Amino acid sequence: MKKLSKSTKNSLINYGMVIALYVVIMIIQLCGGLSNSMKGFLVPVCIYVIMAVSLNLVVGILGELSLGHAGFMCIGAYSGAIFSKLTEDTITVAPIRFTIAIIIGAVFAALFGALIGIPVLRLKGDYLAIVTLAFGEIIKNLVNVINFGVDSNGLHFSLKSAMDMGLAEDGKIIIKGAQGISGTPQDSNFTVGIILVLITLFVVQNLVNSRDGRAIMAIRDNRIAAESVGINITKYKLMVFTISAALAGAAGVLYSHNFSTLTSAGDKFNYNASIMILVYVVLGGIGNIRGSVIAAVILYILPEKLRFLSDYRMLVYAVVLIVVMLFNWSPKAKEFKEMVSYKIKGMFAKKEETQA
Amino acid sequence: MNMLEVTNLSISFGGLKAVNEFNLTIKKGQLYGLIGPNGAGKTTVFNLLTGVYKADTGTIVLDGQDLVKLSTIEINKAGIARTFQNIRLFKELTVIDNVKVGLHNGTPYSTFDGIFRLPKYFKAEKEITEKAMELLKVMGLEAEANFTAANLPYGKQRKLEIARALATSPKLLLLDEPAAGMNPNETAELMNTIRFVRDNFDMTILLIEHDMKLVSGICEEVTVLNFGTELTHGITADVLNDERVIKAYLGD
Ligand SMILES: Nc1ncnc2c1ncn2[C@@H]1O[C@H](COP(=O)(O)OP(=O)(O)OP(=O)(O)O)[C@@H](O)[C@H]1O
Ligand SMILES: [Mg+2]
């Protein structure tokens, strides 16, 4: 058998893990063993896995701190939903319409990723974090006041109210200020979510394990040395921001088509959301793609499952986060994990020997 | 035929003239030394040659090409590669990946080929893996190819920097104190390696070094820098016996 490289093996394990999870959930669902609350988690879990993996590309692989990741999700959510609303009557085949919506959400988010990328890439560390944080907040507050509609004369905008747009009789309001978009076709489901997770893993893992990925990590490890061997820093930073934003945009489309109403109110697109995703990345292990997947799944479901604790819920959640953090990052825990993996490998090696 | 011609190169930091009207001519295939006491401006010369600092005045011509207006990246593409006095490896990458990063601009496939794993990707990756292994062999690092770079001992880290620089296929290689921190055995071995690189890669090499045994052992000519200005230059043996040079090193 051809020997697979370590990185290829790791990628395959990740795809396998996601597919296995999908199969198990589908079987449980067929047997009727899935509670309604669990069913409600399926699509959001996929969304946050995509968010965590795509943010890890910026934070772990490129080594830059971004606190506005939910802003890209917001752009994807709105642009995808607008498209679906506009074409609801013309493109009646839902899967085709939804596919295009996802692409549109990804492209718009990518455009914004590039747009804020260009001025922001000269900044480093804390400054970059602050600007991306501001970006996320601006986007969220902007979509909160936009009114957008369409009639036979074309498209209409207003930042004041839906009335101000002066829509004709045959007009249709698409975004109604703070009330957002309602009546979006609910095209999202677990299967689409899993497909998008797999696509995200495919793009991120293959990028990381290519000449571009090496260049990106080289920039992270030593910018001056990377330049000295002829690596174009600006190009790669921009590439990472754009790809990461595009994936977050696709997750946003998944989000906006999961419920019939979309508003930017609450916590889903603001800095709280961005920081929560960052928590998934940090606890899963910075630069560790599999860790991001696992952390996003567990840490998304956990607080929901802890609801029975009522007031103590966030307290327990915080304690869990601290414990995971210690387990991942303390030197003693690292030693322990290494020892365990060494022993497991040893067991397999022996088996192979006896087989040979 | 000259590989490098530097004329009137100057830069000051605030009031300090770190390099002052510096001239240097290196012939193709030469092994040239740049020496001088601590703080003389040697590393600053390297930073000027590679575009890390922009010169206040002066010209730099590499193999007939004017480099003054070029960026660090363009200068590398034009044919200058370097190592760093304070080692700058890609610490979390493996040893072989460090060299592959050096081969970046010689890796002929696009981002699209990479993400979609098109045949070009596999072909090019195979080729550069072989090239990288060859370079590691030259530097005696093939056994450590899959180590994380940060875990290499100090002397080997310096050698890896040379391998990475060579991977960019330069015309001129700049080595900043390649023997720093090495024991006499390692230094002797390094001298052989540097000669081997010059002979087998048709390389022109400019090196900064405090170890006079290494300098007198392999450099054909040297320039001595003191307080940012040239003290003298010429055949190594003559220069090292020059009284002014000895005085500069020992202090007044
Ligand atoms: N970026 C900078 N800003 C201010 N001063 C600098 C800068 N870079 C170098 N210098 C100063 O320029 C002078 C020359 O420094 P340089 O590093 O070139 O010396 P060197 O000859 O390489 O010394 P060593 O043998 O110790 O490496 C020193 O006085 C140093 O402090
Ligand atoms: Mg120096």
Side-chain angles (χ1 to χ4, degrees), chain A residues 62 212-234 236-237, chain B residues 50 52 72-74 76-77 80 82 84 88-91 93 98 100-105 161 164 168:
Chain A
L62 179 65
D212 298 310
R214 285 191 298 261
I216 294 161
M217 291 185 284
I219 294 168
R220 170 195 71 194
D221 282 358
N222 202 308
R223 196 180 58 81
I224 291 176
E227 270 186 326
S228 85
V229 293
I231 285 170
N232 188 337
I233 313 258
T234 317
Y236 280 108
K237 281 192 172 177
Chain B
T50 52
V52 175
T72 302
I73 297 164
E74 291 164 332
N76 177 256
K77 287 181 182 166
I80 298 186
R82 72 176 291 185
F84 296 88
R88 288 180 177 276
L89 286 173
F90 308 127
K91 285 199 192 87
L93 300 191
N98 268 270
K100 284 184 185 172
V101 174
L103 289 163
H104 182 82
N105 288 319
E161 279 217 337
R164 179 182 69 190
T168 66

Side-chain angles (χ1 to χ4, degrees), chain B residues 11 13 25-27 29 31 49 57 68-69 79 83 87 89 96 132 149 156 163-164 175 196 204 227 237 239 247:
Chain B
I11 188 170
F13 299 112
T25 303
I26 304 180
K27 292 192 263 310
L31 238 166
L49 291 179
T57 65
V68 165
K69 287 203 178 65
T83 67
I87 300 175
L89 286 173
I96 191 165
K156 294 200 167 178
R164 179 182 69 190
L175 306 176
F196 180 91
T204 309
F227 295 118
V239 170
K247 214 164 146 192

Side-chain angles (χ1 to χ4, degrees), chain A residues 4-161:
Chain A
L4 292 172
S5 73
K6 203 174 149 196
S7 58
T8 318
K9 233 190 253 169
N10 268 331
S11 305
L12 291 178
I13 291 175
N14 292 348
Y15 301 133
M17 195 177 76
V18 171
I19 293 168
L21 185 77
Y22 175 70
V23 171
V24 169
I25 299 270
M26 281 324 241
I27 290 172
I28 297 176
Q29 197 170 13
L30 275 179
C31 304
L34 215 56
S35 68
N36 271 339
S37 78
M38 272 312 264
K39 269 183 207 157
F41 290 158
L42 297 179
V43 174
V45 162
C46 294
I47 291 168
Y48 288 104
V49 167
I50 297 169
M51 292 303 284
V53 171
S54 56
L55 182 61
N56 206 347
L57 187 60
V58 176
V59 175
I61 309 298
L62 179 65
E64 293 286 4
L65 189 53
S66 163
L67 295 178
H69 208 48
F72 297 117
M73 179 171 155
C74 182
I75 292 169
Y78 272 81
S79 48
I82 290 170
F83 172 81
S84 293
K85 288 277 288 180
L86 285 175
T87 57
E88 215 172 357
D89 304 324
T90 40
I91 309 176
T92 46
V93 190
I96 295 178
R97 188 183 60 227
F98 192 37
T99 309
I100 302 174
I102 289 170
I103 294 169
I104 284 181
V107 168
F108 269 86
L111 282 177
F112 274 82
L115 210 68
I116 75 147
I118 292 164
V120 154
L121 290 176
R122 298 187 169 275
L123 305 173
K124 277 189 213 96
D126 302 347
Y127 300 104
L128 182 69
I130 290 166
V131 173
T132 48
L133 181 95
F135 157 79
E137 289 302 292
I138 290 169
I139 290 296
K140 183 207 143 197
N141 286 301
L142 201 60
V143 294
N144 201 34
V145 295
I146 284 183
N147 291 277
F148 175 62
V150 57
D151 64 12
S152 46
N153 298 325
L155 306 175
H156 298 264
F157 283 100
S158 165
L159 290 179
K160 286 191 195 128
S161 74

Side-chain angles (χ1 to χ4, degrees), chain B residues 139-158:
Chain B
M139 303 313 301
L141 290 169
E142 73 269 36
E144 288 92 346
N146 291 315
F147 285 25
T148 304
N151 293 342
L152 283 183
Y154 197 72
K156 294 200 167 178
Q157 293 198 4
R158 290 215 173 274

Side-chain angles (χ1 to χ4, degrees), chain B residues 34-56:
Chain B
L34 179 59
I35 63 172
N38 289 114
K42 306 180 294 295
T43 300
T44 306
V45 168
F46 273 21
N47 284 333
L48 288 168
L49 291 179
T50 52
V52 175
Y53 298 153
K54 286 288 157 227
D56 296 339

